[in-house]
Amino acid sequence: MSVGIVSYGVYIPRYRIKVEEIAKVWGANANSIIDGLMVYEKSVPDMDEDTITIAVEAARYAINRAGINPQKIGALYTGSESHPYAVKPSSTVVAEAVGATPDLTLADFEFACKAGTAAIQTCMGMVDSDMIELGMAIGSDVSQGAPGDALEYTAAAGGVAYIIGKKNQVAKIESTYSFTTDTPDFWRREGMPYPEHGGRFTGEPGYFKHVTSAAQGLMKRMGTKPSDYDYAVFHQPNGKFPTRVAKMLGFTNEQIKPGLVVPRLGNTYSGSCMMGLAATLDIAKPEDRIFMTSFGSGAGSDAFSFEVTDKIEKIRNGAPSVEKMLANPVYINYATYARHKGKIKL
Amino acid sequence: MSVPRFWRRLKNLYNLIGTHCKKCGGFYYPPRNMCPRCRRNGVIVPFKYKGTGEVVTFTIVHSAAKDYAMLTPYILAIIKLDEGPRLTSQVICSHEDIHIGMKVKSAFRKLGEESDRGMIYYGTKFIPLEN
Amino acid sequence: MRDVAIIGVGCTEFGELWDKSFREIFVEAGVSAIEDANVQGGKIDALYVGNMSGGRFIEQEHLGALIADYSGLASLHIPSTRVEAACASGGLALRQGIIAVASGYHDIVIAGGAEKMTDVGVETTTDALAAAADREWEGIMGATFPGLYAMIARLHMHKYGTKQEQLAAVAVKNHHNGTMNPKAQFQNEISIETVLNSVMVADPLRVFDCSPITDGASAVVLAPAEIAHKFTDTPIYVKASAQASGTISLHDRPDITTLDATVAAANRAYKMAKTTPKDIDFAEVHDCFTIAEICAIEDLGFVKKGEGGEAAESGLTAIGGKIPINPSGGLKACGHPVGATGVKQAVEITLQLRGEAGKRQIDGAETGLTHNVGGSGGTAVVHIFGRER
């Protein structure tokens, strides 16, 4: 396979709410939640931000970072579980807003938290088969956790865009492998504002089974082992799951550290492990190898193996890093958060 | 605003695409298809603005029309783009920071929506340049 | 062109007229103007109806015919025309009537204006008024009318050091004048503190910096000057009727603190009347917001640019001051039924020049000016009236 990442861009809204602030509203013990989730705060969208605006900002940064001609993008897919429209693509807005229309194909993807990595795989196939020159894969979400539900402490907002191509790769995609079964661990029915989940069922039969199976499947296929990689990124619904799954697979804490953005960001769903990958690319050196595995409830995992090229240095400073996006947040209280998230209706 | 009306202007609103008169060098945003200086002698072509500019004047709107009530209080401003033309938009920043002369850059935001059932309008607002 | 005179005026009460409909208030104003002019209905040659937004406020268009019909003039088949220029609709209807008489096309013409604004909720009213701005490039960005004038105010304060207290002084003065006008919506005194402590609408404009939502109608009867004395002993002569356009959007205005359409209309009017701002004894100006009166007196040439802020504070523009502004209470206190305002201003000038303005009478007034603005300054209409032909 001769495809890779040509550029990437990230966007995180500037607002944060601390776990303590949410816990206070529900009379919960913040420290035990922080210990349990390894999440201290999460990002919150502005009142006029949604999955589409976040996707556009990330996509624009991806285009600007490497000076991409948007007219060369032949496919664009936006993965999200919070598309503003039930019917009507988010991707058309994004494509128009980045100047990629009209000579391209696009669609919206949904697969809980792994719609973004599914979009990467789709772009890989199209680029590798020469159907298109460049493909853009976006993971963007303004996820909703029901008030008082455990998910409310982590459901965050953010987006990541990757441009996939053959020429000028900053990270070669060595291989990808997916593991998928029908496992209903988390869902949201049509017309419902908040998702439902299977509690602890989402852990063992959901996250851990699929992530480990996909990761081991890819390493088996490639003949690689954890120590062959400089860095590893796993889907991060909280801090605990990726830390534990890394250990189960034989990766070290040092390998996952740069990509573990969830403690200060929360779970950006379709953007989650893609954000971790971006944070890793922000600091990676040429020839570093990165391992990544996403997870989408329902359930499935996409595992990827990357090798960073020397082009990374050239484009790195062309757009804000994940660290820059995480810096200088504006903290808000629960009342403001409720307004921002549309929990108050006028 | 109706769907066709918004759709017709969508590229302008998304990407700050205005017009430019090749005859007199005038820059127009919002776009004009007749150069106000050269009139029929003008040569009008599309022009994409960089999206950076400066706050000329502003207000904080506390009482808004129905579709914008959820956003109040919000900052409404006249912004002079670096290329010259002025436009009206919102600035997203703290109410303590906003001032005449503030340097700003464009950001992609929701402009509004026609109720929960209707279409969502997207377009360009502004944020402080140092962001 | 023939000289034109106002031979009769009429005006309803201004306010929340819950029990009266649009057609009723227009007919009421029209009938009182006709009675004042002492003309028979059969003598009327044409009707001009100023109205901004019947379509939004009462879901009714075709207002010319409606008014002709309910004025009992349908059987005479006289031409009746609705005129629209946002908040300058009334001033423009008056101007159309004047042109019709001056040109010799018609002799006796009624020019009136009416707006019924309280039949819909305040959000619809706000949105209907916002249509006077550029919907595609201002309205969609969340611009409201108070918001646009607040941006003028902010820049005026920034450039000229105008103070909030000076804005407030305009409202205080106009409320004081309103106490002497039995038709005004607000007939109560207010203090600077009342204004400064009132609810913020669009910073720095507070609710007492804004004209209210009002129902009301006004009408004048116009006739050729040479026959005016047949109807009245005190015809008031139209010395100038001028109109000018500016950019519809505030952001395209060359100077955001100058309504250049006002400057252009005023210059034309002064030239037409062979007069200067110094010769104007008093004026009714478009104070839809307190800052609007400050800009108006500057742009009309009564004070230098940037010095408008001091005028109300120093008493310059009070009744008894050097140039009394808005003796009727203005849009602020008398109320602002948008289509009626421009005509009501002419009614006030007529009463003042006739010496019939009661407690608010300006002594020895010979020449008065009206100034009516559409939107943030896209249209300006200036009229000058005199006791002498």
Side-chain angles (χ1 to χ4, degrees):
Chain A
M1 191 170 283
S2 57
V3 301
I5 295 167
V6 173
S7 187
Y8 66 100
V10 302
Y11 180 79
I12 299 168
R14 60 202 276 259
Y15 297 100
R16 303 286 181 278
I17 186 165
K18 288 184 185 282
V19 165
E20 286 98 320
E21 176 67 19
I22 300 173
K24 206 166 68 188
V25 172
W26 305 111
N29 183 328
N31 287 335
S32 67
I33 292 166
I34 290 168
D35 287 347
L37 297 173
M38 287 172 63
V39 172
Y40 298 90
E41 58 197 56
K42 67 166 190 172
S43 60
V44 181
D46 206 340
M47 280 181 285
D48 54 2
E49 288 184 310
D50 64 12
T51 291
I52 289 178
T53 65
I54 289 170
V56 168
E57 294 289 359
R60 283 181 173 171
Y61 282 132
I63 283 168
N64 292 342
R65 186 188 292 272
I68 302 286
N69 174 1
Q71 283 291 312
K72 293 200 167 162
I73 295 169
L76 188 150
Y77 301 104
T78 308
S80 180
E81 61 110 61
S82 54
H83 290 290
Y85 289 97
V87 178
K88 197 230 161 272
S90 299
S91 299
T92 50
V93 182
V94 180
E96 202 75 69
V98 301
T101 55
D103 297 319
L104 82 169
T105 178
L106 48 77
D108 285 358
F109 282 14
E110 187 280 309
F111 194 152
C113 296
K114 82 157 198 87
T117 55
I120 292 179
Q121 290 177 327
T122 307
C123 288
M124 287 169 64
M126 295 182 76
V127 170
D128 204 37
S129 63
D130 291 323
M131 278 178 71
I132 58 172
E133 184 176 339
L134 295 173
M136 182 179 275
I138 301 167
S140 175
D141 260 310
V142 286
S143 308
Q144 291 280 11
D149 188 275
L151 290 179
E152 196 182 20
Y153 295 98
T154 55
V160 192
Y162 285 94
I163 298 173
I164 307 299
K166 283 186 175 174
K167 277 187 269 179
N168 298 318
Q169 294 174 16
V170 298
K172 176 179 160 62
I173 303 175
E174 298 175 308
S175 188
T176 181
Y177 168 77
S178 296
F179 181 87
T180 313
T181 69
D182 188 20
T183 306
D185 62 321
F186 170 99
W187 62 88
R188 180 166 64 83
R189 292 280 301 274
E190 185 73 48
M192 293 292 117
Y194 301 112
E196 302 291 325
H197 55 87
R200 288 185 57 77
F201 179 70
T202 196
E204 218 47 63
Y207 183 88
F208 292 101
K209 176 168 181 202
H210 290 82
V211 172
T212 53
S213 300
Q216 283 163 345
L218 179 61
M219 286 190 279
K220 188 177 168 198
R221 178 188 280 186
M222 292 180 68
T224 55
K225 52 190 184 307
S227 60
D228 293 334
Y229 293 94
D230 298 278
Y231 301 107
V233 182
F234 299 100
H235 171 56
Q236 30 201 279
N238 50 54
K240 209 142 216 180
F241 279 25
T243 309
R244 200 170 124 204
V245 88
K247 198 172 172 189
M248 286 165 68
L249 287 164
F251 289 93
T252 65
N253 278 342
E254 285 64 41
Q255 282 170 300
I256 63 167
K257 198 178 166 205
L260 197 63
V261 292
V262 66
R264 286 190 292 154
L265 173 63
N267 181 5
T268 52
Y269 283 58
S270 300
S272 175
C273 71
M274 291 166 74
M275 189 74 77
L277 176 63
T280 308
L281 287 172
D282 283 341
I283 54 106
K285 291 184 296 297
E287 294 176 26
D288 278 351
R289 287 180 88 184
I290 305 171
F291 191 82
M292 173 174 86
T293 306
S294 64
F295 172 69
S297 285
S301 278
D302 304 325
F304 296 83
S305 177
F306 303 97
E307 186 183 348
V308 179
T309 77
D310 54 6
K311 297 233 164 45
I312 189 75
E313 313 277 13
K314 230 175 84 184
I315 70 156
R316 182 170 280 151
N317 298 323
S321 64
V322 175
E323 194 52 47
K324 170 114 201 291
M325 282 285 170
L326 283 171
N328 304 318
V330 175
Y331 289 100
I332 57 176
N333 59 23
Y334 194 90
T336 308
Y337 160 77
R339 235 186 118 173
H340 279 228
K341 293 290 287 173
K343 290 178 200 283
I344 298 172
K345 297 272 178 210
L346 282 188
Chain B
M1 209 151 85
S2 70
V3 171
R5 259 186 108 180
F6 174 76
W7 168 79
R8 208 174 289 128
R9 287 289 180 233
L10 166 159
K11 282 181 199 224
N12 311 102
L13 289 165
Y14 286 4
N15 282 322
L16 281 181
I17 294 171
T19 52
H20 168 57
C21 178
K22 286 169 82 175
K23 181 108 177 170
C24 71
F27 289 98
Y28 306 110
Y29 189 94
R32 290 177 180 270
N33 56 5
M34 165 86 80
C35 176
R37 282 189 278 187
C38 309
R39 289 193 282 276
R40 278 183 301 153
N41 295 323
V43 183
I44 289 281
V45 294
F47 183 86
K48 187 172 186 295
Y49 291 89
K50 277 185 315 193
T52 47
E54 185 180 305
V55 173
V56 176
T57 181
F58 69 95
T59 177
I60 298 162
V61 177
H62 290 262
S63 174
K66 197 176 168 200
D67 292 345
Y68 300 88
M70 195 65 199
L71 284 176
T72 56
Y74 57 86
I75 301 170
L76 181 77
I78 290 177
I79 288 147
K80 185 178 196 294
L81 296 173
D82 287 344
E83 295 89 343
R86 291 193 302 228
L87 58 86
T88 301
S89 187
Q90 289 174 36
V91 177
I92 314 293
C93 73
S94 131
H95 294 182
E96 284 76 49
D97 292 344
I98 184 76
H99 60 271
I100 289 171
M102 180 191 240
K103 303 278 184 205
V104 292
K105 65 179 178 186
S106 62
F108 194 81
R109 296 280 177 141
K110 249 166 83 168
L111 299 182
E113 57 188 34
E114 285 183 331
S115 81
D116 281 352
R117 302 166 71 103
M119 152 146 204
I120 307 168
Y121 301 130
Y122 295 94
T124 303
K125 294 185 185 178
F126 289 80
I127 57 173
L129 185 63
E130 65 267 26
N131 261 25
Chain C
M1 294 292 239
R2 303 189 289 182
D3 286 348
V4 180
I6 293 177
I7 58 167
V9 296
C11 193
T12 64
E13 273 182 82
F14 277 15
E16 293 172 315
L17 309 178
W18 300 114
D19 55 350
K20 290 178 184 170
S21 69
F22 175 84
R23 64 189 78 183
E24 286 166 346
I25 56 174
F26 195 100
V27 169
E28 184 186 326
V31 165
S32 54
I34 290 168
E35 286 176 350
D36 185 45
N38 209 11
V39 292
Q40 295 302 309
K43 291 272 185 196
I44 296 163
D45 293 323
L47 194 55
Y48 290 89
V49 179
N51 175 266
M52 173 180 172
S53 199
R56 294 293 299 280
F57 291 134
I58 55 167
E59 295 178 356
Q60 178 72 57
E61 309 290 10
H62 207 180
L63 300 174
L66 177 80
I67 293 308
D69 185 2
Y70 274 76
S71 302
L73 300 171
S75 59
L76 302 178
H77 306 298
I78 65 156
S80 179
T81 308
R82 180 236 183 122
V83 178
E84 190 275 318
C87 311
S89 299
L92 212 53
L94 172 62
R95 184 169 146 77
Q96 296 311 308
I98 290 166
I99 290 169
V101 176
S103 68
Y105 222 99
H106 296 302
D107 285 332
I108 307 297
V109 166
I110 295 185
E115 210 77 51
K116 180 73 194 169
M117 299 173 75
T118 60
D119 280 359
V120 290
V122 66
E123 283 171 340
T124 306
T125 308
T126 305
D127 193 56
L129 293 173
D134 188 335
R135 179 71 75 177
E136 287 185 14
W137 302 108
E138 294 181 311
I140 197 174
M141 294 301 172
T144 59
F145 256 90
L148 293 171
Y149 276 91
M151 291 198 286
I152 297 176
R154 170 92 49 198
L155 199 54
H156 202 280
M157 292 162 89
H158 180 77
K159 278 172 83 167
Y160 304 116
T162 307
K163 295 182 177 62
Q164 299 235 7
E165 291 76 9
Q166 295 175 328
L167 297 177
V170 174
V172 171
K173 173 198 57 114
N174 289 350
H175 266 256
H176 174 69
N177 294 352
T179 63
M180 297 178 282
N181 182 354
K183 296 212 161 147
Q185 183 165 7
F186 299 126
Q187 300 179 33
N188 60 312
E189 300 277 359
I190 57 167
S191 67
I192 298 282
E193 289 68 37
T194 315
V195 184
L196 295 182
N197 293 329
S198 65
V199 170
M200 193 67 90
V201 174
D203 198 350
L205 299 182
R206 295 171 181 274
V207 72
F208 272 91
D209 286 297
C210 307
S211 57
I213 291 167
T214 313
D215 303 324
S218 331
V220 299
V221 184
L222 301 167
E226 63 260 31
I227 61 166
H229 270 286
K230 281 198 218 166
F231 301 95
T232 174
D233 294 336
T234 52
I236 300 303
Y237 298 98
V238 178
K239 311 292 282 182
S241 172
Q243 177 191 348
S245 306
T247 63
I248 184 141
S249 296
L250 182 62
H251 56 238
D252 280 330
R253 216 59 57 69
D255 170 12
I256 284 163
T257 59
T258 300
L259 279 72
D260 53 3
T262 294
V263 176
N267 287 342
R268 280 174 201 161
Y270 292 135
K271 197 173 164 192
M272 201 180 296
K274 298 188 183 64
T275 186
T276 68
K278 282 192 204 71
D279 304 317
I280 304 295
D281 295 322
F282 72 106
E284 283 280 310
V285 309
H286 198 90
D287 61 324
C288 48
F289 300 93
T290 49
I291 182 63
E293 177 169 315
I294 289 173
C295 289
I297 60 174
E298 294 171 349
D299 299 340
L300 292 166
F302 298 141
V303 297
K304 275 197 214 142
K305 192 79 215 166
E307 294 180 3
E310 300 159 19
E313 205 177 34
S314 68
L316 185 84
T317 52
I319 293 171
K322 195 173 146 228
I323 171 80
I325 299 292
N326 287 326
S328 73
L331 284 55
K332 175 71 199 82
C334 190
H336 184 27
V338 285
T341 285
V343 180
K344 180 224 82 179
Q345 294 176 325
V347 172
E348 177 68 13
I349 300 282
T350 302
L351 294 176
Q352 291 283 355
L353 294 179
R354 284 178 182 172
E356 296 173 1
K359 284 196 242 170
R360 64 184 191 281
Q361 181 65 45
I362 295 159
D363 292 339
E366 291 287 331
T367 307
L369 176 148
T370 63
H371 163 250
N372 192 198
V373 172
S376 66
T379 299
V381 186
V382 173
H383 284 99
I384 298 173
F385 303 93
R387 279 165 53 85
E388 302 297 325
R389 190 169 163 185

